[in-house]
Amino acid sequence: MNELPSISFQKASAIKTYQEKKLADLLVYLQTHSAYYRELFRSHSIPIQNIQSIEDLSLIPPTEKEHLQMRNKEFLCVAKNKIIEYTATSGTVGSPVTVALTENDLQRLAYNEYSSFACANGTSEDIYQLMLTLDRQFMAGMAYYSGIRKLGAGVVRVGPGVPSLQWETIERLKPTAIVAVPSFIIKLIQYAEDNGIDINTSSVKKAVCIGENIRTEQLEPNILAQRITDKWNIQLFSTYASTEMQTAFTECEAGKGGHLNPELLIVELIDDNGQPVAEGEAGEVTITTLGVEGMPLLRYKTGDICKAYTQPCSCGRHTLRLSPVIGRKKQMIKYKGTTLFAPALFEIIHRIDAIKEYVVEVYSNEIGTDEVLLHLTAINELEETQNKIKAYLQARLRVTPHIKYIEPDTMQKLQFPDGVRKPVKFIDRRKNG
Ligand SMILES: [Zn+2]
């Protein structure tokens, strides 16, 4: 097995000192090479030598997604001929952003995933079946691939979807682990049940779960995780990542939040005024990349709301851990006098067995407040089923959202409009402001 990245196992104070040294390097690099940040330091009269500690970061105005969208090229710090890979954000909210990577950035990305898979109990003895795309400018796909290679483990690129092919490959090549979206793992289980495949005698013992939460805010398995492990005796590891940060937070076997990779990223949780939230409070995940050459980011607001845990973990790491995403800033629904985050609504929907697929649509009504329309595909078209769904939603939400039942093929078109890589579960048709 490769040696584990050691900095994570040092004391929190040593990690902080290490990060602050890397931060000083980054500030000099940005001042020299980034048109966007040079202008930011100048217009806000920030001498970079005034930023010495992680606490000092709060003196710098955060970078918003809109800045990255509108002034994308100004973030680029290298000549065009140094760029190897052009990736793009998935566009969950807003138009996609190009993130360009140099050869060094690709090496950094491989190291990031190597260290993530190692954190999730991966070794060179493992074989990972990748149930995701490596195309469409998707950074994570190739990151997993190169990280697994660095770990010395085996890799099988099956791609997303097609449960029959996934099972046929599992039976033939005997992977020990899968990398997949949790709701797709549910589909794998359903397919196995329908086709007489005994999942618990398969070679797969663990799943690295991407793209969706598998834990509650209290770090207990959520309903999606329970539905998987009630039937399939595998260990689930949660990960949280984004294209912009070029870094992943991955759970260890303790499953107590995703570990920060301190060599690659500084993370702050901040409030609406750009100030760090109090210990234990939820705040917007704001990241500063370390060691990125092509498009480094300084205090970039991800839009994701999380909590952080700083107590040492039973795995021996002293790094900060992040909770699952409690909500996305732009997916906050003001619903009949309460505030509702989309993941909380998804969690309620996941509890209803009668719902096969769904898309949540939010729009503004005549008086400018939010309305929720659920597009649902149910297991059947019986009135009894629809009444059950309505009653359950009413009980959990106090007021029922509008519901529209649609056929599976209409649902497919709604979830997969042209060019998307992952199913759309949230459509925002609200008027801005
Ligand atoms: Zn741990």
Side-chain angles (χ1 to χ4, degrees):
M1 195 170 108
N2 270 302
E3 205 179 311
L4 284 171
S6 62
I7 184 87
S8 295
F9 294 90
Q10 294 180 17
K11 283 195 189 120
S13 58
I15 295 174
K16 186 168 186 285
T17 307
Y18 174 91
Q19 289 201 313
E20 288 173 348
K21 192 177 161 295
K22 297 268 276 191
L23 174 63
D25 296 343
L26 171 70
L27 291 166
V28 172
Y29 185 81
L30 291 175
Q31 175 91 289
T32 317
H33 300 287
S34 167
Y36 179 84
Y37 286 110
R38 192 164 41 228
E39 163 66 16
L40 183 86
F41 298 146
R42 195 196 56 75
S43 63
H44 288 82
S45 310
I46 302 168
I48 55 167
Q49 50 286 4
N50 284 9
I51 313 297
Q52 302 272 349
S53 67
I54 289 172
E55 293 76 18
D56 292 340
L57 278 172
S58 63
L59 300 169
I60 303 170
T63 302
E64 312 266 349
K65 185 155 201 151
E66 288 71 26
H67 298 137
L68 201 50
Q69 275 167 341
M70 311 288 286
R71 299 170 63 182
N72 206 180
K73 289 199 173 103
E74 291 175 52
F75 284 85
L76 191 63
C77 290
V78 296
K80 217 171 174 183
N81 64 6
K82 292 260 287 176
I83 300 168
I84 307 290
E85 180 84 36
Y86 291 87
T87 64
T89 57
S90 53
T92 309
V93 178
S95 56
V97 166
T98 300
V99 176
L101 289 87
T102 65
E103 178 56 36
N104 284 341
D105 292 340
L106 289 168
Q107 301 285 351
R108 179 188 170 283
L109 197 63
Y111 175 78
N112 161 64
E113 285 302 332
Y114 149 68
S115 133
S116 281
F117 281 106
C119 187
N121 274 358
T123 74
S124 57
E125 301 301 312
D126 280 308
I127 301 173
Y128 290 88
Q129 184 156 321
L130 298 184
M131 303 182 171
L132 46 98
T133 185
L134 270 81
D135 298 326
R136 295 192 181 188
Q137 291 188 274
F138 185 40
M139 180 190 283
M142 61 159 188
Y144 300 133
Y145 177 78
S146 53
I148 292 166
R149 281 187 59 184
K150 200 171 172 67
L151 187 66
V155 60
V156 187
R157 294 178 288 116
V158 179
V162 204
S164 57
L165 180 62
Q166 303 288 359
W167 278 115
E168 185 272 320
T169 312
I170 290 171
E171 280 160 22
R172 190 159 43 88
L173 298 175
K174 312 264 186 283
T176 56
I178 60 175
V179 183
V181 177
S183 53
F184 180 67
I185 302 179
I186 302 266
K187 290 194 175 136
L188 277 182
I189 295 171
Q190 276 162 0
Y191 182 90
E193 283 179 338
D194 294 346
N195 291 276
I197 298 167
D198 181 2
I199 49 177
N200 285 311
T201 58
S202 84
S203 55
V204 177
K205 299 296 171 228
K206 58 192 168 195
V208 174
C209 296
I210 61 169
E212 288 171 348
N213 282 352
I214 55 161
R215 295 198 189 278
T216 64
E217 256 177 78
Q218 290 71 39
L219 301 178
E220 298 300 324
N222 68 8
I223 188 71
L224 204 52
Q226 287 169 31
R227 283 174 77 175
I228 295 169
T229 54
D230 280 354
K231 299 214 163 132
W232 200 0
N233 184 23
I234 53 174
Q235 189 169 11
L236 306 181
F237 294 89
S238 183
T239 66
Y240 163 69
S242 71
T243 306
E244 294 95 325
M245 64 170 97
Q246 305 182 40
T247 313
F249 290 78
T250 304
E251 280 185 354
C252 67
E253 61 191 354
K256 296 293 177 200
H259 278 282
L260 165 71
N261 204 327
E263 289 142 287
L264 306 181
L265 205 72
I266 292 171
V267 64
E268 302 168 87
L269 296 187
I270 67 172
D271 61 22
D272 288 339
N273 300 316
Q275 297 303 309
V277 297
E279 178 95 28
E281 300 279 304
E284 184 168 358
V285 178
T286 302
I287 57 99
T288 295
T289 55
L290 298 175
V292 171
E293 196 173 55
M295 288 179 73
L297 293 172
L298 177 64
R299 295 202 93 208
Y300 176 76
K301 287 166 71 168
T302 60
D304 296 331
I305 311 290
C306 290
K307 285 183 184 171
Y309 309 94
T310 52
Q311 317 87 309
C313 185
S314 58
C315 69
R317 289 176 179 82
H318 293 103
T319 48
L320 174 149
R321 283 162 288 130
L322 276 190
S323 74
V325 176
I326 300 165
R328 296 222 152 81
K329 208 83 200 284
K330 299 209 166 155
Q331 296 186 349
M332 196 156 73
I333 309 162
K334 297 244 189 286
Y335 186 59
K336 317 259 180 182
T338 54
T339 301
L340 185 64
F341 277 118
L345 184 53
F346 297 165
E347 179 75 4
I348 293 167
I349 295 169
H350 292 159
R351 285 183 184 275
I352 309 174
D353 289 335
I355 298 176
K356 275 180 79 177
E357 288 295 343
Y358 66 92
V359 171
V360 175
E361 182 180 328
V362 185
Y363 61 95
S364 310
N365 60 22
E366 311 83 68
I367 55 165
T369 60
D370 296 348
E371 294 278 343
V372 178
L373 169 62
L374 301 183
H375 300 264
L376 302 179
T377 301
I379 46 166
N380 58 45
E381 290 174 7
L382 299 176
E383 204 183 316
E384 192 195 338
T385 306
Q386 300 190 354
N387 287 339
K388 266 191 196 159
I389 291 172
K390 192 173 165 187
Y392 190 91
L393 288 170
Q394 218 153 21
R396 298 298 300 260
L397 292 169
R398 283 181 292 136
V399 271
T400 335
H402 308 281
I403 299 176
K404 188 175 168 188
Y405 286 95
I406 56 177
E407 298 289 319
D409 54 335
T410 315
M411 178 60 76
Q412 177 76 15
K413 281 181 199 136
L414 197 60
Q415 287 187 339
F416 292 93
D418 287 345
V420 305
R421 294 189 294 241
K422 52 186 182 187
V424 172
K425 297 279 169 96
F426 186 88
I427 299 175
D428 194 347
R429 297 200 205 282
R430 289 176 289 192
K431 298 177 199 102
N432 289 332

